[in-house]
Amino acid sequence: MKIHILEQRLLDYRIPIYEKLNQIKDVNVVVYYWKNLNEKDFLKNLNPQDITFKVIGVRIINFFNRLYFPLYPLLIHFIKKPDFLIIRGNVRNISIIPILIFRKIIGLKTIIWGQGGSRKRNFNPSNNFYDIASYLYIRMADAYIVYDEITKKDLNRYFPEKIFVAKNTLNFDKEAINYRDFSSNISQEKKDLNFNSKINLCYIGRLSKRKKLPRLIEMFNLVLDIEPDTTLWIIGDGPESNFIKKATINNHKIKYLGSLYGSQASKILFSCDATLMPGWMGLGVNHSLYFGCPVFSELKNKTLIDHAPEASFIIDNFNGFLNEVNDDKHFIKNFKLFLSDRKKYSTNAREYALNNLTPDIMLKGVTDSINFIKNK
């Protein structure tokens, strides 16, 4: 079975998924990715022996920084005719249009893998152009993969059968080694990191406006009123890094570590008690939960609007806490609740990650969509 996958940015956390897919008996995977967007891609430093599927970089045309058209020959999919074509992207990838129009002529089975609409509002194809376009893309595809159950439930109102979920995840095979190593000598690990406070909190992610970093500092100051012996460790880089650097000058309890990856970032999370992420959340949620860090965040009217799909992985008062936006009293109440049984929330966080956020579970969303088309 030949499977072609059209990627945008080929990120390292997706490699285990495509590798597992390629290792299924009689499956042959070819991944095309947009080379323009991968100038710092890990592929430059990757040993070819580490992957078994084929990777092809292609150039794209960018129209007004809004619409994208890959420069690979569209006819390749019609000439080679894979059994399944999986397209990662949204309505801005206008190369999807001719593929969806002509695919039925040659019997090309097509799966789109995307957000299912905007993260800034609920899906409403009756009065929003972007949602109308997304609706048409989904309708024309044989199946559609989203990143979370909430989006699936929203789309099921219009497409009750063809929506599947593949939750974003990390390569936990590597992290399992880190967890084992850290667990063997946690006291020494904390000593090496200068973790001397009673409570250690973490922020991990890009430093940008949508992360709501001023609110992060406000939340930390509220924590200091509850437990003064607390330190906030910040991992990340981005356009708002100067804001964080100034925050460290004003408050010596805030430690800015810059960009950390792999075992370095994992060691910090393993040594912390919880993660604060008031704004847009990404795979930092997965990373935190895996290492037993419950996540504190804020929702607008109890919805996931203005949040990435990973926000749906946080279950309030189980593996984290979801407060109303800028509600100090709610946050203080929940943080005190967390302090009353830190071990319970840490255990819940890790067990949730192990049971719900593994590469195998992400892969299942892909294979379920393929099997659905096969059985139609």
Side-chain angles (χ1 to χ4, degrees):
M1 179 170 62
K2 294 184 294 184
I3 299 176
H4 285 187
I5 300 174
L6 310 187
E7 266 282 4
Q8 294 180 10
R9 293 175 173 87
L10 184 53
L11 303 175
D12 57 350
Y13 74 89
R14 290 190 167 272
I15 297 306
I17 309 306
Y18 298 148
E19 188 64 24
K20 287 176 179 291
L21 183 62
N22 193 61
Q23 290 174 0
I24 296 175
K25 185 178 180 180
D26 298 327
V27 170
N28 182 18
V29 174
V30 180
V31 177
Y32 298 83
Y33 72 98
W34 298 3
K35 202 169 184 179
N36 309 48
L37 302 179
N38 286 269
E39 298 304 329
K40 296 182 180 180
D41 196 278
F42 81 103
L43 285 173
K44 290 185 176 181
N45 301 316
L46 184 68
N47 187 335
Q49 295 178 348
D50 291 341
I51 60 175
T52 60
F53 58 88
K54 189 174 182 179
V55 180
I56 301 175
V58 296
R59 294 287 174 182
I60 63 169
I61 300 176
N62 184 341
F63 297 97
F64 314 111
N65 289 320
R66 302 291 294 178
L67 301 172
Y68 307 97
F69 195 95
L71 289 176
Y72 57 80
L74 288 175
L75 286 177
I76 192 171
H77 305 298
F78 301 99
I79 296 172
K80 294 188 176 181
K81 195 178 178 182
D83 297 284
F84 292 93
L85 176 63
I86 300 176
I87 306 173
R88 272 251 308 124
N90 53 37
V91 295
R92 295 180 183 178
N93 181 359
I94 57 178
S95 68
I96 297 177
I97 297 173
I99 293 174
L100 292 178
I101 291 175
F102 294 109
R103 68 176 188 82
K104 286 192 175 181
I105 297 176
I106 63 164
L108 183 61
K109 303 300 183 183
T110 305
I111 301 167
I112 300 179
W113 192 345
Q115 296 280 1
S118 173
R119 306 299 306 185
K120 297 181 179 179
R121 62 182 178 277
N122 293 322
F123 186 71
N124 187 355
S126 63
N127 61 7
N128 182 277
F129 176 78
Y130 185 92
D131 289 349
I132 292 172
S134 295
Y135 175 89
L136 293 175
Y137 274 26
I138 300 171
R139 182 173 180 178
M140 295 173 69
D142 291 291
Y144 194 91
I145 301 173
V146 296
Y147 300 100
D148 63 279
E149 294 289 347
I150 294 175
T151 302
K152 177 184 177 181
K153 183 178 179 180
D154 200 20
L155 295 179
N156 275 346
R157 294 180 295 155
Y158 306 93
F159 308 99
E161 294 183 344
K162 66 194 307 185
I163 309 299
F164 299 87
V165 177
K167 298 177 181 177
N168 273 348
T169 190
L170 297 169
N171 187 352
F172 285 171
D173 292 339
K174 290 183 179 179
E175 297 298 355
I177 299 173
N178 292 332
Y179 190 90
R180 182 195 63 204
D181 292 344
F182 301 157
S183 300
S184 64
N185 197 3
I186 179 60
S187 298
Q188 186 61 44
E189 295 289 356
K190 287 190 174 184
K191 184 178 179 180
D192 292 343
L193 294 168
N194 292 318
F195 271 49
N196 302 315
S197 299
K198 181 179 179 180
I199 301 295
N200 290 281
L201 304 178
C202 183
Y203 167 87
I204 182 169
R206 184 164 171 75
L207 303 181
S208 60
K209 288 187 180 297
R210 68 176 180 176
K211 301 291 188 172
K212 299 183 179 179
L213 300 176
R215 180 56 181 167
L216 170 68
I217 304 304
E218 289 176 3
M219 292 168 70
F220 179 60
N221 287 331
L222 293 172
V223 171
L224 290 177
D225 291 337
I226 302 170
E227 175 49 72
D229 190 11
T230 303
T231 298
L232 173 62
W233 304 82
I234 297 179
I235 301 172
D237 199 3
E240 297 299 305
S241 59
N242 284 337
F243 171 81
I244 295 299
K245 290 175 182 177
K246 290 179 182 178
T248 63
I249 296 174
N250 297 329
N251 189 340
H252 72 280
K253 293 284 188 178
I254 301 174
K255 308 295 184 183
Y256 178 43
L257 302 174
S259 296
L260 297 179
Y261 301 97
S263 62
Q264 289 182 310
S266 298
K267 185 180 293 188
I268 299 295
L269 288 168
F270 181 81
S271 302
C272 282
D273 298 286
T275 303
L276 303 183
M277 304 180 87
W280 183 272
M281 291 175 279
L283 285 169
V285 173
N286 304 54
H287 209 168
S288 297
L289 296 178
Y290 183 84
F291 283 97
C293 275
V295 179
F296 284 80
S297 190
E298 298 188 332
L299 302 183
K300 184 186 297 183
N301 300 322
K302 297 182 179 181
T303 70
L304 295 184
I305 293 174
D306 287 333
H307 273 300
E310 288 80 8
S312 67
F313 304 159
I314 303 172
I315 302 173
D316 192 34
N317 197 21
F318 178 74
N319 61 1
F321 294 88
L322 298 170
N323 310 296
E324 183 58 42
V325 173
N326 297 328
D327 188 334
D328 291 352
K329 290 183 179 179
H330 193 189
F331 173 75
I332 292 170
K333 177 184 176 182
N334 281 338
F335 198 83
K336 288 180 178 179
L337 186 60
F338 159 71
L339 289 178
S340 68
D341 199 342
R342 284 185 286 161
K343 185 176 181 180
K344 179 185 76 172
Y345 292 109
S346 177
T347 300
N348 290 347
R350 178 160 169 78
E351 288 185 353
Y352 179 87
L354 292 175
N355 294 328
N356 297 277
L357 302 177
T358 65
D360 286 332
I361 291 175
M362 187 176 181
L363 176 65
K364 186 177 184 299
V366 179
T367 55
D368 282 352
S369 67
I370 292 173
N371 291 332
F372 165 76
I373 298 172
K374 281 183 176 181
N375 297 327
K376 284 177 65 175

